[in-house]
Amino acid sequence: MGTDVLRSAPMALRIRSARPGDLPQIYDVLNAAFDTPIELFMAQTERDSTCRWRHARVAEVDGRIVAHVRVFARTMLVRGAPVRAGGIGSVATLPQHEGSGYATVLLYDAIQEMHRLGMVVAYLFTDRVSFYERVGFRVVEQPGFRVRPQEAAATPVDGIYAIRPVEPDDVASLLRIYRTATVGTSGAIVRTESIWRDAQTWLGEDHAGCVVAERAGRPVAYLRARSRPDDYQILEGEHMPGHDPAIAPLLATAGRRAKALRAPLVASVPGDHALATALRSLPSTTWSTGIDHVAHPMMMRVVSLDRLLDALLPQIRDRARTHRGEPFSLTLHAPDGEQATLAVSGASVSIRRRNGAYALDEAGTLAALLGQRRATKLVRPRPPADAARRIDSLFRQAPLHFWNSDRI
């Protein structure tokens, strides 16, 4: 489908990688398309050490840049396996060219570029869900919370943790906590110190609301937050194993900060996280995972099904060993017509190139591979109960573990 769109584009349209001399025009497009201060885009372009010119794609008409898409090169954990990922951001078209289809053409071009670069999955955040569904993206769910700050400020704490502001020299310690907390998850971005520090240049963190919990002088948990025009947002919070009680004083600190600013407290949090449990316990908390109630939900797309299965096949085989049953085959579908069939016989799992007895559609394939929900929503009629259980056993549920501090 992407190739057809490119072929049907106007002859005057030229799609290419950005060049350093394009920056003034790119900033003009972004400034015209968004209410967001241009300084944000400048920081994400000029102060992101992962940025490469080939990652920025532009549409040019008669020598003038009219649309732009940026791919943010990242590594993401999918069921604990690190895979190359591309974040889609800065999707913009000059207002006078809205509806031209240039953004759609650029997105397909960006996906092809991601494939050439060896990326396995793509992700983005948007309020234009139907637009991105047309190019193969699907919503993945993660709870969004909203709470009265005075309730968060009154969260009971036991006083065994010392709370202090985050300092620049804490990054290595916080990164160690983050890496420990995200082992085995789906959706977590693999961070280096440079990625962490780069993002701080555009996150707009509130220093008073970014705090560390220490036990015996050692950092064991942290929370990052920022103030926005309409609310106070928790960006993320993690803790070392056995120190989930440290989340309570961190949440209380965020509540006090939001209360002082007279702003509601909001957060998008992994569903099984200690922070989510603490937020749900507050009487005024409202939360939802539905796309109708979450502003700018996360969407993802498989870029290369083969590469993703290569990364996940060892653990799928491990699951098969503990859940033996009758042989069966399952076909997984990804956008652009890509498909792969898992043939399962006893404890053996292999990939073959012919259709299986049961099939998942694109959305079901993505959900199963991420661990977002049960995998037995099939294209073909529901299989016998034993086969359904077998499919579910290969693709165990796991909540998405993604934080707003990694949004682009």
Side-chain angles (χ1 to χ4, degrees), residues 143 185 239 269-277 280 398-401:
T185 65
H239 61 84
V269 182
D272 66 341
H273 199 277
L275 180 57
T277 301
R280 288 192 188 99
L400 195 73
H401 198 107

Side-chain angles (χ1 to χ4, degrees), residues 333-389:
H333 289 89
D336 300 333
E338 189 180 12
Q339 67 180 55
T341 296
L342 294 177
V344 185
S345 179
S348 173
V349 180
S350 59
I351 301 176
R352 67 187 190 194
R353 295 296 168 218
R354 61 179 181 275
N355 289 342
Y358 313 112
L360 293 174
D361 62 11
E362 293 174 15
T365 294
L366 178 64
L369 294 175
L370 289 176
Q372 275 279 293
R373 63 173 182 267
R374 293 293 181 183
T376 48
K377 186 176 181 180
L378 303 177
V379 173
R380 301 203 175 101
R382 187 173 180 85
D386 59 338
R389 286 192 296 270

Side-chain angles (χ1 to χ4, degrees), residues 70-116:
R70 160 84 188 275
V71 176
F72 290 74
R74 298 290 183 261
T75 297
M76 177 181 282
L77 297 181
V78 176
R79 295 182 174 272
V83 300
R84 299 184 68 183
I88 296 288
S90 303
V91 181
T93 304
L94 285 174
Q96 60 267 37
H97 292 283
E98 285 287 345
S100 63
Y102 296 156
T104 302
V105 173
L106 267 184
L107 280 168
Y108 278 117
D109 173 75
I111 290 165
Q112 291 176 2
E113 182 66 16
M114 283 189 279
H115 202 284
R116 287 192 293 269

Side-chain angles (χ1 to χ4, degrees), residues 101-160:
Y102 296 156
T104 302
V105 173
L106 267 184
L107 280 168
Y108 278 117
D109 173 75
I111 290 165
Q112 291 176 2
E113 182 66 16
M114 283 189 279
H115 202 284
R116 287 192 293 269
L117 293 171
M119 295 178 181
V120 174
V121 292
Y123 68 97
L124 55 84
F125 295 83
T126 184
D127 58 358
R128 301 176 64 192
V129 170
S130 60
F131 172 74
Y132 287 99
E133 283 181 334
R134 292 200 296 271
V135 291
F137 286 86
R138 298 293 179 265
V139 170
V140 293
E141 295 183 350
Q142 184 161 306
F145 296 87
R146 187 180 184 90
V147 64
R148 292 176 183 165
Q150 55 268 34
E151 289 186 358
T155 301
V157 298
D158 56 19
I160 65 172

Side-chain angles (χ1 to χ4, degrees), residues 285-336:
T285 298
T286 58
W287 65 283
S288 175
T289 59
I291 63 172
D292 293 334
H293 304 285
V294 176
H296 299 86
M298 185 177 189
M299 301 186 75
M300 293 186 68
R301 182 193 199 275
V302 174
V303 174
S304 172
L305 184 57
D306 277 351
R307 293 186 187 121
L308 185 52
L309 283 175
D310 284 345
L312 297 181
L313 200 54
Q315 58 182 271
I316 293 173
R317 285 176 174 146
D318 285 342
R319 297 291 295 170
R321 291 192 188 99
T322 60
H323 294 272
R324 298 189 179 189
E326 291 298 316
F328 74 97
S329 57
L330 174 68
T331 298
L332 306 175
H333 289 89
D336 300 333

